Amino acid sequence: MNRDTVSSSDRTRAGVLCERIEGVFDQRVVGQQQLRTSLVVALMCGGHVLLESVPGLAKTTAAQTLAQAVSGSFHRIQCTPDLMPSDIVGTQVFNYGTSQFTTQLGPVHANVVLLDEINRSSAKTQSAMLEAMQERQTTIAGEIHKVPSPFMVLATQNPIEEEGTHVLPEAQMDRFLLKEVLDYPDAEQEVEILDRISDGRMTRPMRANPLTLDEVAWLQRLVDQVYVDSSIRRYVVDLVATTRGRGPVQVPGLDRLVRVGASPRGSISLMRVAQAVALRAGRGHVVPEDVHALRNAVLRHRIVRTFDAIADDVSTESIVTSVFDAVPVP
């Protein structure tokens, strides 16, 4: 039997906070409902998001808006092949007046960091950024500096220009909670964008009431309290194990399509995201539909396709769908 471990008042307050974030988004971002859902959920989980799309689909605007929605600091890092790790994490500068070194923190020390075109930076720089994401700290001249809390990285990559890029290895992509693939807006949404630019709505001061950083921290703690029944936890494990060919059921032909399945980090992410989705929906317990809600965003970057799957243009999303269709729902 499902039982809520979050009080009714806390669930109501969480819903109000999520609506306030949505209110800020409505003033700056047109459409992109899936993107805003993923960003809010990732914020609630304390995770990071990898965004893939062609240029001009409001990735930077969405990141800036998210920072404004939580009263947080925002830094944008444009990745280039000559970007060094010290350009991101910071360095020590010699002060000739005092004859001492002073630490200058890099742009990664912000609540929301947009790492634009991460695949254009070198592997060494990518590694430094991913260390900050995982450890929530940077090391400069042997001294540890904590990043702000909350801390969220939105990394973008452009799939149409690969010359001179360093593709993120699968093991490093696994550290992102979600991966979203953005598509073009429809005609009505694009007209709305032009209307907002013409009448100045895109640059007007925010009307909505943003959250404080303390409210974000409270929201993240509340996600941990959302009840996950043992049957749901087993369901999550069965789903992820099935992507490896080791689940309770076998998906015909899966071994020809999948070279490497999702890791245990995939199971953790699937459960955490389901908890945030449930809380956002006003519930203090997880149901199977919460596990399904963002399944593609959670698993699409954790499943490595075979050459045959790529050659036959079999999408990762179709593989995820076949796995979810095969595993019995509790």
Side-chain angles (χ1 to χ4, degrees):
M1 178 182 293
N2 289 323
R3 55 186 180 87
D4 287 347
T5 52
V6 179
S7 68
S8 175
S9 60
D10 283 346
R11 296 199 304 271
T12 300
R13 183 188 177 195
V16 171
L17 294 181
C18 290
E19 287 177 0
R20 283 166 57 187
I21 298 176
E22 295 277 356
V24 176
F25 266 96
D26 286 339
Q27 295 181 60
R28 289 287 186 266
V29 181
V30 178
Q32 301 291 9
Q33 292 295 332
Q34 187 67 25
L35 172 61
R36 71 174 65 186
T37 297
S38 293
L39 292 183
V40 172
V41 167
L43 177 69
M44 295 170 70
C45 294
H48 310 292
V49 182
L50 180 62
L51 304 175
E52 183 176 292
S53 78
V54 297
L57 295 188
K59 298 185 293 293
T60 301
T61 301
Q64 290 176 321
T65 303
L66 182 67
Q68 291 175 324
V70 298
S71 305
S73 55
F74 172 78
H75 284 154
R76 175 181 174 274
I77 303 171
Q78 178 62 54
C79 294
T80 56
D82 60 347
L83 190 72
M84 298 296 292
S86 58
D87 297 328
I88 290 178
V89 301
T91 187
Q92 283 200 318
V93 178
F94 185 72
N95 188 325
Y96 286 95
T98 61
S99 297
Q100 293 180 333
F101 282 96
T102 58
T103 300
Q104 187 175 45
L105 297 179
V108 72
H109 291 269
N111 296 115
V112 179
V113 178
L114 176 65
L115 200 61
D116 215 354
E117 295 189 288
I118 186 174
N119 52 333
R120 291 201 178 279
S121 62
S122 67
K124 194 172 187 178
T125 303
Q126 291 176 7
S127 176
M129 189 66 202
L130 291 165
E131 180 183 1
M133 291 165 51
Q134 184 69 21
E135 308 299 333
R136 309 282 170 147
Q137 65 184 31
T138 60
T139 304
I140 304 172
E143 186 177 348
I144 293 176
H145 300 271
K146 294 288 186 181
V147 297
S149 181
F151 175 64
M152 182 176 177
V153 172
L154 281 72
T156 74
Q157 56 183 15
N158 184 349
I160 62 173
E161 292 180 319
E162 297 184 354
E163 185 176 352
T165 63
H166 301 265
V167 179
L168 277 176
E170 286 83 359
Q172 294 183 4
M173 291 179 68
D174 195 35
R175 298 188 183 278
F176 288 93
L177 178 72
L178 302 173
K179 178 186 177 182
E180 275 299 341
V181 178
L182 308 185
D183 201 358
Y184 292 108
D186 59 35
E188 289 75 16
Q189 291 171 343
E190 202 157 354
V191 169
E192 174 67 16
I193 293 171
L194 299 183
D195 290 341
R196 290 190 182 192
I197 291 175
S198 297
D199 61 23
R201 276 181 287 168
M202 298 295 280
T203 56
R204 288 176 187 168
M206 289 288 184
R207 298 186 311 274
N209 183 22
L211 276 64
T212 65
L213 294 180
D214 287 340
E215 287 174 323
V216 175
W218 177 85
L219 202 55
Q220 291 177 344
R221 291 193 299 270
L222 198 64
V223 169
D224 293 330
Q225 301 176 27
V226 174
Y227 175 69
V228 185
D229 191 74
S230 59
S231 63
I232 298 293
R233 291 197 294 270
R234 184 67 195 189
Y235 179 52
V236 168
V237 170
D238 288 345
L239 287 167
V240 173
T242 300
T243 68
R244 309 172 196 148
R246 302 177 183 177
V249 295
Q250 295 296 315
V251 179
L254 190 68
D255 57 339
R256 191 183 69 83
L257 302 175
V258 177
R259 179 159 60 91
V260 180
S263 72
R265 192 180 281 124
S267 302
I268 297 170
S269 299
L270 205 56
M271 184 184 72
R272 288 280 294 164
V273 166
Q275 287 176 293
V277 170
L279 185 60
R280 193 164 174 259
R283 280 180 279 101
H285 64 272
V286 173
V287 297
E289 288 74 14
D290 300 325
V291 179
H292 296 185
L294 294 177
R295 59 188 183 183
N296 286 328
V298 173
L299 296 176
R300 62 162 52 102
H301 57 300
R302 306 179 195 275
I303 296 175
V304 182
R305 293 176 295 168
T306 62
F307 175 79
D308 288 342
I310 296 173
D312 294 340
D313 199 24
V314 178
S315 67
T316 308
E317 290 81 3
S318 66
I319 295 173
V320 172
T321 298
S322 65
V323 168
F324 273 73
D325 288 344
V327 177
V329 178

